[in-house]
């Protein structure tokens, strides 16, 4: 049986600066299980792009294989999209970004697609600081293949099959921090008030923006004993900060006291407003972020919020000094200047 989103919408739906409503940012009807956390993430992406007035045709969605990688079908139906093979989304995103630097790249992956078969791809996208938003929809289970533990399953966590996991989990946020990711955040699919502004901050960020989103699998991993279940996360969340995204900001501030706001200006002039919840955490320090993560883990808590950001980072095109014109827009004369020009280039390296 096929389903279709009704074409009718209320005529007075709010419109953004482009004159679009949220309908213009939707995709197809989700075929995921009812209550899946991934659908909440898709809705958060829709809302984030709508509020930021991002032209849908300027977005490229990329994914790998898995329940999470099906989700780009369910948002931004008027955007470019590419569903790659298992674990290879980061390489496809890197190639696309190098060919056309003018698009906004949103990569969606899962804990299996990222932390197992795609780990080698993921780490190089991080270290290259590819200018993209990378969202890992982390449910700690292989939902598409009927509920096996994934590489991010916590020790002792029990899925529907009832056997506790005996292996150490891979902490993707910690790996991203240690490899040099210039924006790292951890969130929960059931907390849209936190997730939407985090996505907006990631979009405004220049460089590799990694968001790990705990997204419970209602079919195989939303049971008592699971550390990725809805009830568990709600009872064990600890936040570094609350986040507000403010477009087109002008004011720049860099210092703040506990309980006050830190306003961080991004490269595009927008502003991230962070309300500090913990006096120990410095959002500009990798060491501080890793320490806070370890402390919360020892207390059986899940740390959420923006863990680290470097708003002055250089993305891959700046590092490699590539042409400001996207490769796809260069004509034959620029791409193939002829034998004489090639000889001059070779002579420079003799």
């Amino acid at each position: 049986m096929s389903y279709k989103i009704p074409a009718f919408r209320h005529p007075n739906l709010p419109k953004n600066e482009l004159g679009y409503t949220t309908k213009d940012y939707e995709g197809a009807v989700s075929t995921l299980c009812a209550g899946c956390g991934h659908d909440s993430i898709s809705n958060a992406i829709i809302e984030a792009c709508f509020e930021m007035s991002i032209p849908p045709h300027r977005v490229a969605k990329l994914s790998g294989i898995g329940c999470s990688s099906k989700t780009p079908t369910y948002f931004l139906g008027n955007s470019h999209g590419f569903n790659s093979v298992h674990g290879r989304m980061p390489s496809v995103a890197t190639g696309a970004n190098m060919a056309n630097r003018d698009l906004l790249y949103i990569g969606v992956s899962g804990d299996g697609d990222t932390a197992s078969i795609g780990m080698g791809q993921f780490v190089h996208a991080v270290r290259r600081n590819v200018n993209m938003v990378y969202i890992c929809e982390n449910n700690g289970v292989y939902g598409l293949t009927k509920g096996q533990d994934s590489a991010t399953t916590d020790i002792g966590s029990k899925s529907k099959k009832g056997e506790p996991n005996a292996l150490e989990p891979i902490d993707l946020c910690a790996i991203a921090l240690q490899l040099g990711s210039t924006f790292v955040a951890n969130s929960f699919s059931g907390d849209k008030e936190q997730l939407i502004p985090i996505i907006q901050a990631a979009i405004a960020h220049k460089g590799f923006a990694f968001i790990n989103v705990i997204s419970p699998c209602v079919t195989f991993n939303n049971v008592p004993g699971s550390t990725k279940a809805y009830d568990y996360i709600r009872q064990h969340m600890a936040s570094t900060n609350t986040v507000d995204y403010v477009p087109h900001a002008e004011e720049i501030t860099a210092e703040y006291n506990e309980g006050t706001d830190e306003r961080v200006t991004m490269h595009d002039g927008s502003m991230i407003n962070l309300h500090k919840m913990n006096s120990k955490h410095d959002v500009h320090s990798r060491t501080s972020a890793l320490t806070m993560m370890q402390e919360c883990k020892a207390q059986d808590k899940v740390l959420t919020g923006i863990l680290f950001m470097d708003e002055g980072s250089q993305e891959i095109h700046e590092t490699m000094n590539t042409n400001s014109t996207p490769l796809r827009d260069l004509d034959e004369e620029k791409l193939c200047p002829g034998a004489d020009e090639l000889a001059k280039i070779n002579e420079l390296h003799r």
Side-chain angles (χ1 to χ4, degrees), residues 24-38:
D24 299 299
Y25 294 85
E26 295 175 351
V29 174
S30 174
T31 60
L32 297 174
C33 303
C36 178
H38 295 358

Side-chain angles (χ1 to χ4, degrees), residues 10 86 132 148 160 194 245 250 254 263 271 299 312 318 321 333:
H10 193 283
H86 206 185
M132 68 177 296
Q148 302 92 337
K160 190 175 182 180
Q194 181 193 66
Y245 172 80
E250 296 182 359
R263 295 181 176 180
M271 183 174 65
Q299 297 170 19
E318 295 172 326
N321 194 28
E333 182 180 350

Side-chain angles (χ1 to χ4, degrees), residues 184-206:
V184 180
N186 196 38
S187 193
F188 172 45
S189 64
D191 187 358
K192 71 174 185 177
E193 299 300 324
Q194 181 193 66
L195 181 57
I196 291 173
I198 283 179
I199 293 174
Q200 292 172 326
I203 290 173
H205 178 72
K206 182 178 65 176

